[in-house]
Amino acid sequence: IVLFIFAVAIGAVNLLRLKPQLLDETSSSQNLKAAAGQLRFNVSVELFLGTTVVIVVAILGILPPSVH
């Protein structure tokens, strides 16, 4: 659950902070490159976290239930 929350938080940063920077017509070329680089890194981390969540859920799905 924690990994999923981190992935959602990174997605929120991408949507609410980095996307407006990329769409801002008054930003300098340097700011656009920095925002694009940060967005690329964040998306990579988000993909890694999403893949990790799927792997963890798959492993938990094949384990037998614990004995009470």
Side-chain angles (χ1 to χ4, degrees):
I1 293 174
V2 173
L3 293 174
F4 178 74
I5 291 171
F6 281 141
V8 170
I10 291 171
V13 168
N14 292 344
L15 179 66
L16 300 175
R17 188 166 172 233
L18 295 176
K19 184 180 175 186
Q21 287 180 2
L22 291 173
L23 297 176
D24 186 15
E25 296 176 1
T26 62
S27 292
S28 68
S29 176
Q30 186 68 13
N31 288 342
L32 289 176
K33 287 182 183 180
Q38 184 65 44
L39 182 64
R40 186 176 296 119
F41 175 75
N42 285 359
V43 168
S44 298
V45 171
E46 195 173 3
L47 284 171
F48 173 76
L49 290 174
T51 304
T52 305
V53 167
V54 170
I55 290 171
V56 167
V57 169
I59 291 172
L60 290 174
I62 62 173
L63 291 176
S66 62
V67 178
H68 291 287

